[in-house]
Amino acid sequence: MSHDFAALTANAHEDWTLFAVRFHDKPGASELRRQLLQAHLEWVAAHQDVVRVAGSLRESPDATPVGALWVMRAPDKAAVEALIATDPFTTGGLRAGWDIFYWSKALPQPVSF
């Protein structure tokens, strides 16, 4: 099967762009994370039209999360920043920072787990 990878990764036909966001939590903030978790999960669920994939990152399966990885669909980077600013993990002071990258999905099949 042959694919036009340039067309697949450009999203040129869409009014949105894909972004990968890598969040960094403040060190030693596991109690703060626990306190904010329910509000954060409700917030993510309410924004799943933009936050398409979200989950915490850990050094081992049973370790405390050190941050998170999201894939977002938004019109531009400013929209991503504006939405992140309203997340309870951000407003509550858990996040030490984040990196926003433009992301191109390389293969055409839908993603599901």
Side-chain angles (χ1 to χ4, degrees), residues 26-108:
K26 291 180 179 172
S30 60
E31 179 57 27
L32 180 58
R33 173 181 269 278
R34 189 192 63 71
Q35 292 171 6
L36 298 171
L37 183 59
Q38 188 61 40
H40 166 74
L41 293 174
E42 291 171 5
W43 180 94
V44 169
H47 293 91
Q48 58 188 308
D49 58 322
V50 176
V51 182
R52 304 307 298 225
V53 177
S56 62
L57 296 172
R58 305 159 189 260
E59 293 183 12
S60 66
D62 58 347
T64 300
V66 296
L69 177 68
W70 293 359
V71 175
M72 300 177 71
R73 191 170 82 170
D76 53 41
K77 198 171 185 176
V80 172
E81 287 277 5
L83 190 61
I84 290 170
T86 67
D87 176 6
F89 274 1
T90 303
T91 62
L94 176 68
R95 303 295 193 200
W98 51 85
D99 303 302
I100 301 172
F101 302 96
Y102 290 87
W103 186 63
S104 298
K105 185 177 176 299
L107 299 174

